[in-house]
């Protein structure tokens, strides 16, 4: 599965970046908070652009190299 972008894993990483941003902010590390927040926003934008399938109303997995969505049977 090394060549598959998993929607589930992508959103787990985005959630982790958002959690890191909150923790960093709570501990006075605005520099880390800003980087983590920016990474989460970039990840969410990329997921929406490449993993969202309007026809099915779901996020789908995609091939890493082509970004072609993998249909769900």
């Amino acid at each position: 599965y090394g060549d598959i972008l998993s929607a589930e894993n992508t959103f787990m990483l985005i959630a982790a970046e958002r959690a890191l941003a909150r923790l960093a902010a709570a501990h006075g590390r605005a520099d880390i908070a800003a980087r983590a927040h920016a990474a989460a926003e970039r990840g969410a934008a990329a997921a929406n652009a490449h993993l969202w399938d309007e026809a099915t109303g779901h996020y789908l997995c995609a091939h890493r190299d082509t970004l072609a969505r993998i249909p769900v049977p």
Side-chain angles (χ1 to χ4, degrees), residues 21-39:
R22 289 191 304 273
L23 285 168
H27 289 277
R29 293 300 308 264
D31 57 328
I32 295 172
R35 283 196 311 265
H37 177 75

Side-chain angles (χ1 to χ4, degrees), residues 22-72:
R22 289 191 304 273
L23 285 168
H27 289 277
R29 293 300 308 264
D31 57 328
I32 295 172
R35 283 196 311 265
H37 177 75
E41 293 304 307
R42 284 191 310 273
N48 287 330
H50 300 293
L51 302 179
W52 176 252
D53 184 66
E54 191 66 37
T56 63
H58 296 281
Y59 287 94
L60 301 177
C61 295
H63 291 281
R64 179 194 64 212
D65 298 330
T66 64
L67 296 177
R69 288 184 209 99
I70 301 169
V72 177

